[in-house]
């Protein structure tokens, strides 16, 4: 099982993922030519209709139809709604441009250089807002539509199945990304009209789970009046060929007809000469989808009218646009954002929608669609990327500091493997998201890829750290397993009699959990027959055979197994002689590494699926994922409790990592204008921030008050308590040994210690020596024969902090907490007597 897997499998998965997600290469089917032979003449016929028809030739109210698909009588589209929609678009134009609108309609304003309206001539950018359903909308069913191009003739399509993009709710979100590329889009010689295409993302609030759709529309943009008319085009609906007939006036019809006459002809020429067959150059399906009629769910067609209101600014808009695009450093002042109003109309599904805003709604509630131009968006994206890079850099520097600090086995065994693994997963996920960002945004910036590699570096650093930790902890686990094995010779029978002797040698370590209840119990009640931890019969020279120190602290559970792993193997008594060679931790780690990659890929793959799921599912999934991710301190807290040690990680690491990992998440949940267009949700943000806060508080209190202060006794396996309550009894057996009397290696200062001890005695305190720094320690001690209240006072929470100032080893040596902790980073033996110490 523990085969080391090839890390190249990771690469393989990435390539696989690329293949799965890349646009399907449209298969060069054998019937390409025959299909073209059918397609191209049809397009030419439709273009001929566009060429020949005049304004007013398409008037469904007077039963005048166009002989193109979708605009014939028998197609059964709801064309009677069109005049109302045109009137609405007219109102939008009039409201935006005022008196100038009449000039737009009769065409006199188009192509005029002088007194041009203050509008952006280049609409590239995005706007978003809300739509509301218009009262004139109807609900239409697939059966209402004519059967000439209808799925009814396709036996595989169920006519009862609803159409895509079928908006039935009263409102929803609407976002449109407009593209007007200089080199790709054509413009007429007078620069009055240009080609434009847009990606529409529209959601329906009422649909189950918040369904939403994404599709493309193509059309024309009148650059001098700031309005655009766009439409979907499909086999069922020759939208682009009928576009002049959707215009608002005769002049606009003529302009667009002349323009489309030659641009469509050119597009058809290009289509013929493309090396790969393109069935529909004006497809509404997202790039990569197959525009084959077979198998594709039918969708509602869409005609979109956009109107840009003039800017309130007095600056020369042409200059402003040029400056935004090619900055020379001139101050731009407050740029007016890109805003628009919208009327949308589905001729087959029969809905009419409008952007939400005045006059129907107060400006405070909604202001139609607003967004920003591509240049501004790119600026913002760049800033976010730089900010994220800084966060990543900080995160890395904290990690490296922490790794330097955690250089010794005893430090490494404190850090939770899973905490670091979760962070590594998070970074790996970030890496994949950045690499595949173009899938979600359709744009990519070079900076993104460089950040992706910083993230990858972070993953590698984390993996390195994980391997260090794993190596140390694998040895620990191996020991644990050995000791749990039934044949393990660990619990030697020897100590048993010593422990079961009813003695007053009460446990120093009696109170692993710091509760007074345990302590105040009279010693004779101590459970008999508890196998002592292996440390008791240590091969210490036996000058004081009657100084057994450790007795199992808790009354309910013999700790034979659990306590033992805490003891280091250095003690020859603990280590069973014939040690089977443990599995190579590196090989194990290799297996783990493969699992890590697999988990990462699966998470990423599932996330991609959810990124296009209905709003509700998407929100639930990503909130859950974020919550799981920011739970990264939980394994550490758990490990602290299990091992009864609280100082695994540096403070700056804990705080820095929490912040640098939380802030990017919060950005998406709180910033409405975020670069990924994610919907904000301050409640989730509050939960995430609060949860991280709770974890940090837990870590801090574990550090200050003891790792188990919030855990009830018995919930965690017993562990040696370095901060016991000291009791004095008649024989002084419960107190730490003082250097002068109990230990052979005497240390200076014992004299002074004795003196001050005498002074401190009255106050219920005692003074010992710390042999590490050779200074005194004054510790509170429960006097012999103290009543319950005194015991409770010292054992109570008020004294917890005081008890954390000193540490008593199992061999009954007492030290300053700071001194012993510093020592224990390097060696797990008592500085006084070289007795092995349980790890901290
Ligand atoms: C457009 O119509 C004119 C006649 O009105 C004809 O000469 C011309 O060839 C047509 N162009 C196209 C592309 O069909
Ligand atoms: C519509 O066009 C088709 C060819 O595209 C033609 O066969 C048909 O006769 C035309 N119908 C009318 C009413 O002109
Ligand atoms: C369309 O429907 C009419 C009657 O509703 C029927 O006569 C005609 O055959 C159908 N055409 C196709 C292509 O299914
Ligand atoms: C649109 O959805 C409504 C409600 O689900 C349904 O009744 C109607 O048939 C659908 N229309 C189309 C064209 O799918
Ligand atoms: C509009 O602006 C975008 C973004 O700067 C640019 O890529 C595009 O070429 C511009 N289009 C025109 C027609 O100037
Ligand atoms: C361009 O403008 C000139 C002068 O205003 C006009 O004569 C010409 O017809 C226009 N060309 C087009 C294609 O609109
Ligand atoms: C369309 O273009 C052709 C040349 O390709 C031209 O003869 C015809 O007059 C144009 N039609 C219109 C309506 O502009
Ligand atoms: C050391 O231990 C002896 C008895 O074992 C005791 O009398 C003496 O006070 C102790 N010294 C200190 C500093 O506690
Ligand atoms: Zn000290
Ligand atoms: Zn010792």
């Amino acid at each position: 099982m523990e085969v080391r897997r090839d890390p190249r499998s990771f690469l393989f998965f990435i390539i696989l993922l690329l293949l799965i997600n890349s646009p399907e290469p449209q298969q060069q089917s054998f019937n390409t030519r025959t299909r073209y032979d059918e397609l191209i003449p049809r397009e030419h016929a439709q273009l001929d209709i566009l060429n020949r028809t005049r304004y007013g030739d398409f008037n469904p109210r007077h039963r005048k139809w166009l002989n193109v698909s979708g605009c014939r009588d028998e197609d059964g589209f709801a064309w009677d709604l069109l005049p109302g929609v045109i009137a609405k678009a007219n109102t939008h134009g009039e409201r935006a441009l005022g008196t100038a609108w009449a000039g737009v309609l009769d065409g006199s304003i188009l192509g005029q250089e002088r007194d041009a309206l203050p509008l952006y001539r280049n609409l590239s950018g995005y706007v978003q807002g809300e739509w509301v359903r218009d009262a004139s909308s109807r609900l239409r069913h697939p059966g209402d539509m004519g059967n000439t191009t209808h799925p009814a003739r396709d036996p595989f399509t169920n006519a009862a199945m609803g159409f895509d993009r079928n908006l039935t709710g009263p409102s929803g979100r609407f976002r449109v990304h407009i593209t007007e590329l200089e080199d790709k889009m054509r413009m007429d010689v007078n620069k009055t009209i240009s080609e434009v295409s847009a990606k529409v993302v529209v959601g329906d609030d009422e649909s189950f789970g918040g369904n939403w759709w994404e599709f493309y529309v193509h059309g024309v943009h009148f650059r001098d009046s700031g309005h655009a008319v766009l439409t979907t085009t499909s086999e069922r609906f020759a939208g682009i060929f009928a576009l002049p007939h959707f215009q608002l006036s005769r002049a606009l019809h003529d302009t667009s007809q002349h323009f489309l006459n030659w641009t469509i002809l050119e597009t058809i020429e290009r289509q013929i000469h493309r090396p790969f067959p393109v069935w529909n150059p004006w497809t509404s399906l997202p790039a990569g989808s197959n525009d084959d009629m077979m198998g594709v769910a039918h969708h509602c067609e869409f005609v979109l009218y956009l109107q840009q209101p003039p800017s309130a600014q007095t600056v020369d808009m042409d200059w402003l646009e040029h400056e935004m695009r090619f900055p020379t450093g001139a101050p731009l002042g407050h740029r007016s954002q890109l805003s628009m109003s919208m009327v949308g109309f589905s001729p087959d599904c029969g809905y009419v929608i409008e952007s939400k805003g005045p006059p129907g709604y107060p400006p405070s509630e909604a202001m139609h669609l607003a967004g920003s131009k591509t240049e501004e968006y790119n600026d913002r994206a760049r800033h976010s990327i730089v900010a994220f890079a800084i966060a990543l850099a900080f995160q890395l520097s904290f990690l490296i500091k922490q790794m330097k600090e955690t250089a010794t086995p005893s430090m490494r065994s404190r850090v939770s493997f899973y905490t670091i693994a979760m962070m590594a997963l998070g970074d790996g996920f970030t890496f994949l998201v950045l690499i595949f960002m173009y899938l979600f945004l359709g744009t990519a910036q070079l900076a993104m890829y460089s950040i992706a590699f910083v993230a990858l570096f972070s993953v590698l650093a984390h993996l390195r750290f994980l391997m260090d930790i794993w190596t140390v902890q694998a040895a620990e686990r191996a020991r644990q397993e050995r000791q749990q094995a039934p044949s393990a010779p660990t619990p030697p029978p020897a100590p048993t009699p010593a422990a079961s002797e009813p003695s007053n040698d009460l446990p120093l370590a009696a109170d692993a959990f710091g509760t007074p209840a345990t302590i105040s119990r009279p010693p004779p009640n101590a459970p008999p027959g508890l196998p002592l931890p292996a440390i008791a019969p240590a091969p210490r020279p036996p000058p004081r055979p009657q100084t057994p120190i450790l007795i199992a602290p808790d009354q309910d559970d013999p700790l034979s197994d659990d306590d033992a792993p805490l003891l280091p193997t250095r003690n020859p008594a603990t280590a069973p002689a014939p040690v089977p060679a443990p599995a190579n931790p590196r090989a194990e780690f290799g297996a783990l590494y493969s699992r890590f990659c697999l988990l990462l890929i699966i998470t990423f793959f599932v996330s991609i699926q959810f990124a296009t799921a209905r709003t509700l599912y998407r929100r639930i999934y990503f909130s859950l994922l974020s919550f799981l991710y920011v739970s990264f301190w939980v394994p550490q807290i758990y490990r602290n409790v299990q091992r009864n040690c609280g100082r695994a990680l540096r403070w700056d690491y804990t705080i820095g990592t929490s912040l640098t990992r939380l802030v990017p998440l919060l950005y998406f949940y709180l910033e409405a204008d975020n670069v990924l267009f994610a919907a904000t949700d301050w409640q989730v943000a509050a939960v995430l921030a609060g949860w991280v806060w709770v974890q940090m508080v837990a870590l801090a209190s574990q550090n200050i008050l003891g790792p188990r202060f919030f855990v009830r006794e018995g919930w965690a396996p017993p562990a040696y308590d370095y901060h016991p309550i000291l009791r004095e009894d008649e024989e002084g057996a419960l107190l730490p040994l003082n250097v002068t009397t109990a230990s052979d290696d005497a240390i200076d200062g014992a004299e002074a210690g004795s003196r001050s001890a005498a002074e401190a005695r009255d106050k219920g305190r005692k003074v010992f020596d710390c042999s590490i720094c050779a200074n005194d320690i004054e510790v509170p001690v429960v006097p012999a024969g103290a009543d319950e209240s005194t015991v409770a006072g010292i054992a109570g929470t008020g004294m917890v902090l005081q008890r954390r100032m000193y540490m008593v080893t199992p061999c009954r040596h007492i030290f300053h907490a700071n001194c012993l902790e510093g020592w224990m980073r390097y060696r797990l033996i008592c500085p006084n007597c070289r007795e092995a110490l349980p790890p901290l």
Side-chain angles (χ1 to χ4, degrees):
M1 170 190 117
E2 308 297 356
V3 270
R4 179 161 191 188
R5 285 198 219 135
D6 196 341
R8 271 171 297 185
S9 56
F10 185 52
L11 206 66
F12 168 74
F13 274 118
I14 291 204
I15 291 169
L16 194 72
L17 210 71
L18 255 175
L19 288 181
I20 290 172
N21 282 292
S22 65
E24 293 172 39
Q26 278 157 338
Q27 58 276 59
Q28 188 95 30
S29 57
F30 63 95
N31 60 356
T32 302
R33 279 273 66 95
T34 52
R35 194 161 166 203
Y36 257 36
D37 289 346
E38 187 190 340
L39 190 74
I40 302 296
R42 193 171 73 223
E43 284 178 359
H44 274 297
Q46 287 170 337
L47 177 62
D48 188 52
I49 302 274
L50 177 132
N51 183 2
R52 281 191 286 104
T53 51
R54 296 284 163 267
Y55 185 65
D57 282 357
F58 178 56
N59 193 338
R61 287 210 175 151
H62 296 100
R63 309 207 53 78
K64 285 172 143 181
W65 305 96
L66 286 185
N67 193 9
V68 294
S69 49
C71 301
R72 289 178 284 240
D73 190 14
E74 61 268 31
D75 289 327
F77 281 24
W79 285 117
D80 52 322
L81 293 172
L82 182 64
V85 172
I86 287 179
K88 240 177 226 312
N90 249 321
T91 331
H92 280 250
E94 223 173 305
R95 200 179 51 245
L97 301 185
T99 49
W101 184 245
V104 172
L105 288 185
D106 65 23
S108 60
I109 222 170
L110 303 181
Q112 290 224 332
E113 278 298 308
R114 288 170 300 109
D115 48 70
L117 292 161
L119 295 163
Y120 285 123
R121 298 285 186 277
N122 183 346
L123 293 186
S124 289
Y126 75 91
V127 285
Q128 57 185 345
E130 278 185 59
W131 58 264
V132 285
R133 193 180 176 89
D134 189 76
S136 61
S137 309
R138 357 196 144 107
L139 199 61
R140 301 188 82 233
H141 305 287
D144 297 343
M145 294 159 213
N147 57 7
T148 44
T149 51
H150 192 260
R153 64 178 181 174
D154 177 357
F156 297 107
T157 320
N158 182 359
M161 203 171 73
F163 278 28
D164 254 0
R165 311 172 199 162
N166 178 9
L167 302 179
T168 52
S171 65
R173 301 284 309 163
F174 188 88
R175 188 171 79 232
V176 46
H177 297 261
I178 303 164
T179 328
E180 237 182 330
L181 291 175
E182 198 164 21
D183 41 356
K184 258 175 80 186
M185 307 290 179
R186 284 152 298 186
M187 217 181 280
D188 74 343
V189 284
N190 288 354
K191 300 201 173 204
T192 57
I193 182 170
S194 70
E195 272 183 302
V196 64
S197 63
K199 180 171 86 173
V200 176
V201 181
V202 58
D204 187 351
D205 287 348
E206 289 292 291
S207 62
F208 176 71
N211 207 354
W212 57 279
W213 297 273
E214 189 180 302
F215 56 94
Y216 287 82
V217 287
H218 301 264
V220 293
H221 168 211
F222 295 91
R223 293 159 54 87
D224 294 311
S225 58
H227 83 279
V229 185
L230 303 102
T231 174
T232 57
T233 305
S234 72
E235 225 165 302
R236 289 178 55 231
F237 175 49
I240 195 89
F241 299 95
L243 194 64
H245 296 279
F246 308 150
Q247 300 298 339
L248 310 182
S249 72
R250 181 179 296 272
L252 296 176
H253 168 273
D254 291 349
T255 313
S256 55
Q257 187 191 24
H258 282 115
F259 179 66
L260 289 169
N261 188 13
W262 67 270
T263 54
I264 291 178
L265 189 64
E266 258 185 42
T267 307
I268 296 174
E269 294 299 321
R270 278 189 215 167
Q271 184 186 3
I272 295 171
H273 294 112
R274 281 278 291 272
F276 289 104
V278 176
W279 305 125
N280 181 358
W282 305 274
T283 179
S284 64
L285 301 174
S289 313
N290 205 339
D291 196 25
D292 216 318
M293 282 311 273
M294 246 75 85
V296 172
H298 284 275
H299 48 249
C300 299
E301 306 296 342
F302 196 70
V303 180
L304 176 66
Y305 295 86
L306 292 172
Q307 173 67 53
Q308 184 195 358
S311 160
Q313 276 168 314
T314 48
V315 287
D316 178 3
M317 292 301 274
D318 288 336
W319 172 82
L320 180 67
E321 267 192 285
H322 193 269
E323 180 62 35
M324 278 168 82
R325 197 165 158 207
F326 307 105
T328 61
L332 290 179
H334 179 74
R335 293 170 249 180
S336 66
Q337 59 180 356
L338 189 64
S339 51
M340 276 178 206
S341 62
M342 168 277 285
V343 180
F345 161 54
S346 173
D348 50 353
C349 296
Y351 56 81
V352 179
I353 62 176
E354 238 183 316
S355 55
K356 191 173 177 181
Y361 295 84
S364 55
E365 195 176 331
M367 274 304 284
H368 296 288
L369 312 175
S372 47
K373 279 171 68 72
T374 306
E375 293 91 347
E376 275 183 286
Y377 173 77
N378 286 347
D379 272 357
R380 226 167 51 222
R382 227 177 347 259
H383 292 161
S384 329
I385 288 175
V386 168
F388 185 60
I390 293 174
L392 262 182
F394 269 112
Q395 189 181 305
L396 257 177
S397 76
F398 288 130
L399 175 74
I400 288 169
K401 258 195 225 159
Q402 177 67 48
M403 279 172 78
K404 268 189 196 145
E405 168 133 343
T406 317
T408 59
S410 90
M411 288 297 284
R412 279 179 193 158
S413 75
R414 298 180 192 179
V415 179
S416 165
F417 181 83
Y418 295 100
T419 289
I420 307 295
M422 276 165 86
M423 294 183 183
L425 269 178
D427 286 344
F429 190 77
T430 311
F431 166 72
L432 289 182
V433 167
L434 286 169
I435 287 290
F436 291 98
M437 187 63 94
Y438 79 95
L439 279 182
F440 308 110
L441 283 192
T443 62
Q445 295 196 0
L446 198 62
M448 226 145 65
Y449 291 104
S450 32
I451 304 309
F453 282 93
V454 179
L456 183 62
F457 182 71
S458 177
V459 176
L460 295 181
H462 277 97
L463 286 179
R464 164 83 226 178
F465 194 21
L466 280 179
M467 199 168 87
D468 292 342
I469 296 173
W470 179 264
T471 321
V472 168
Q473 295 184 2
E476 194 181 296
R477 254 190 311 280
R479 203 161 51 234
Q480 200 166 342
E481 271 160 26
R482 269 201 315 275
Q483 275 158 354
Q484 275 169 354
S487 61
T490 329
T496 321
S500 48
E501 265 173 32
S503 78
N504 284 340
D505 287 336
L506 179 104
L508 242 202
D511 180 12
F513 310 103
T515 46
T518 316
I519 264 283
S520 51
R521 199 171 279 131
N525 281 1
L530 275 183
L532 269 191
I535 201 159
R540 214 183 302 150
R544 37 192 162 86
Q546 268 305 35
T547 45
I549 314 296
L550 277 178
I551 288 189
D554 68 346
Q555 310 287 326
D556 28 67
D557 190 25
L559 54 141
S560 52
D561 302 330
D562 295 309
D563 203 26
L566 292 175
L567 304 173
T569 27
R570 283 208 197 82
N571 191 335
T574 13
V579 182
N584 180 3
R586 285 192 177 242
E588 273 174 47
F589 188 75
L592 212 72
Y593 174 77
S594 315
R595 249 171 276 162
F596 172 85
C597 293
L598 203 67
L599 185 62
L600 183 60
I601 302 287
I602 289 174
T603 314
F604 184 64
F605 194 73
V606 172
S607 302
I608 288 182
Q609 300 307 314
F610 271 98
T612 52
R614 294 176 183 237
T615 322
L616 181 71
Y617 305 154
R618 189 171 53 172
R619 195 156 67 213
I620 291 175
Y621 173 79
F622 283 101
S623 303
L624 263 181
L625 196 67
S626 309
F627 186 82
L628 284 182
Y629 171 53
V630 300
S631 307
F632 44 71
W633 294 128
V634 169
Q636 183 65 57
I637 294 171
Y638 177 74
R639 188 168 179 86
N640 287 349
V641 168
Q642 287 288 315
R643 297 168 44 89
N644 198 19
C645 78
R647 310 215 171 155
L649 302 166
R650 291 169 61 99
W651 265 115
D652 50 355
Y653 176 74
T654 316
I655 295 175
T657 309
S658 307
L659 285 184
T660 50
R661 285 176 188 275
L662 184 63
V663 166
L665 276 180
L666 291 190
Y667 165 75
F668 290 115
Y669 277 109
L670 291 180
E671 170 68 42
D673 238 4
N674 63 63
V675 290
L676 286 188
F677 308 105
T680 56
D681 190 339
W682 65 267
Q683 284 157 323
V684 175
V687 169
L688 292 182
W691 176 228
V692 171
W693 175 247
V694 165
Q695 293 175 69
M696 281 169 68
V697 167
L699 278 178
S701 55
Q702 283 190 322
N703 196 335
I704 297 167
L705 301 176
R708 291 184 172 177
F709 87 99
F710 55 79
V711 180
R712 278 228 342 253
E713 174 189 355
W715 283 9
Y720 179 70
D721 180 18
Y722 275 104
H723 309 277
I725 294 171
L726 298 178
R727 287 174 65 106
E728 184 179 44
D729 62 4
E730 284 71 18
E731 289 140 44
L734 300 184
L735 284 179
L737 306 165
N738 63 32
V739 184
T740 8
T741 52
S743 187
D744 309 330
D745 41 351
I747 283 188
D748 330 294
E751 207 43 40
S754 311
R755 251 184 283 115
S756 35
E759 290 161 20
R761 200 180 178 94
D762 310 330
K763 293 172 257 168
R765 308 180 77 85
K766 266 185 171 285
V767 176
F768 297 91
D769 267 333
C770 169
S771 63
I772 296 178
C773 64
N775 283 332
D776 291 347
I777 320 177
E778 198 182 309
V779 295
V781 171
V782 181
D787 50 23
E788 288 295 312
S789 64
T790 325
V791 175
I794 286 189
T797 28
M799 297 302 280
V800 167
L801 281 182
Q802 286 212 33
R803 284 201 281 125
R804 297 200 67 83
M805 303 300 294
Y806 61 86
M807 287 171 83
V808 179
T809 61
C811 49
R812 290 178 67 198
H813 289 115
I814 187 164
F815 303 95
H816 289 116
N818 289 343
C819 297
L820 191 62
E821 273 176 20
W823 170 271
M824 283 173 74
R825 282 176 184 209
Y826 302 104
R827 311 212 54 185
L828 288 178
I829 58 173
C830 172
N832 263 8
C833 63
R834 319 216 130 242
E835 181 73 68
L837 297 179
L840 189 61

